[in-house]
């Protein structure tokens, strides 16, 4: 009797799990709204190199992506809009996903995901590094129609 009840519960749990999985997989992705101004920034080549650095932590990323400099200065939210803890939390998630994709070149384009990012949550990189890194991830996701986490890359 107990075995029948246990089997019935397991079947019910399996059906519920399958239903939730199908509902999640079948949900439509929200389309990004890209303005003409943002499209122009994506196509810009002016000042296409951005250096992200913190001399104290000896941390440096150089981004060579045409349009990012223009996008950062014309489209992105201004410095101070987000708290440092918000930026750090989002960066941790997006760096993990980025690095996962770098390690899977058969599944993700090695032209998009070339190098791993060495970002450690226990290090305080400062506001500027976190701000620019976060905004690069937003820019990258919007320009290349990628998703580096569960959040829609909004500006």
């Amino acid at each position: 009797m107990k075995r029948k009840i246990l089997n019935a519960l397991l079947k019910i749990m399996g059906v519920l799990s399958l239903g939730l999985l199908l509902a999640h997989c079948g949900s439509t992705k929200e389309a990004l709204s890209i303005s003409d101004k943002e499209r122009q920034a994506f196509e810009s080549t002016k000042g296409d190199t951005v250096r992200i650095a913190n001399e104290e932590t000896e941390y440096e990323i150089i981004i060579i992506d045409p349009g990012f400099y223009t996008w950062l200065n014309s489209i992105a939210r201004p410095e101070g809009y987000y708290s440092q803890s918000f930026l750090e939390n989002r960066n941790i998630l997006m760096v993990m996903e980025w690095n996962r994709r770098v390690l899977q070149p058969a599944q993700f384009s090695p032209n998009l995901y070339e190098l791993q990012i060495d970002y450690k949550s226990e290090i305080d990189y400062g506001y500027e590094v976190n701000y620019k890194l976060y905004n690069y991830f937003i820019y990258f996701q919007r320009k290349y129609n990628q998703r580096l986490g569960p959040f829609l890359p909004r500006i």
Side-chain angles (χ1 to χ4, degrees):
M1 178 78 167
K2 288 181 183 179
R3 186 176 198 107
K4 287 183 182 180
I5 293 172
L6 182 59
N7 284 337
L9 286 174
L10 289 173
K11 285 181 185 178
I12 291 170
M13 288 175 47
V15 170
L16 287 174
S17 297
L18 181 61
L20 288 172
L21 179 65
L22 290 175
H24 178 69
C25 291
S27 64
T28 59
K29 287 186 178 179
E30 189 176 335
L32 293 177
S33 175
I34 308 291
S35 69
D36 289 338
K37 184 178 179 182
E38 189 172 13
R39 275 189 184 70
Q40 289 174 350
F42 290 157
E43 295 169 5
S44 173
T45 57
K46 179 183 172 188
D48 64 355
T49 301
V50 174
R51 180 176 179 260
I52 302 173
N54 181 323
E55 304 303 327
E56 292 175 17
T57 60
E58 298 178 6
Y59 185 84
E60 178 180 60
I61 297 176
I62 297 177
I63 296 173
I64 303 171
D65 194 338
F68 177 58
Y69 179 82
T70 302
W71 185 91
L72 182 65
N73 291 303
S74 62
I75 305 293
R77 299 280 186 193
E79 285 192 40
Y81 184 84
Y82 303 106
S83 71
Q84 184 169 333
S85 63
F86 172 86
L87 296 172
E88 289 169 342
N89 289 329
R90 292 293 172 96
N91 285 341
I92 289 166
L93 293 173
M94 291 188 280
V95 164
M96 285 181 357
E97 180 60 21
W98 178 279
N99 288 342
R100 185 181 75 79
R101 291 178 183 203
V102 168
L103 297 173
Q104 297 180 3
Q107 186 176 0
F108 299 100
S109 173
N111 295 326
L112 289 178
Y113 303 97
E114 294 180 27
L115 301 170
Q116 286 191 346
I117 299 171
D118 184 20
Y119 182 94
K120 295 180 177 42
S121 60
E122 63 273 5
I123 296 176
D124 179 3
Y125 297 104
Y127 188 87
E128 184 180 7
V129 167
N130 280 288
Y131 170 79
K132 287 181 179 175
L133 181 59
Y134 171 79
N135 276 293
Y136 179 70
F137 284 138
I138 298 301
Y139 165 85
F140 173 86
Q141 291 175 95
R142 294 178 67 80
K143 181 176 180 179
Y144 299 108
N145 195 26
Q146 299 290 303
R147 186 73 69 84
L148 292 173
F151 310 107
L152 195 63
R154 292 191 172 109
I155 43 175

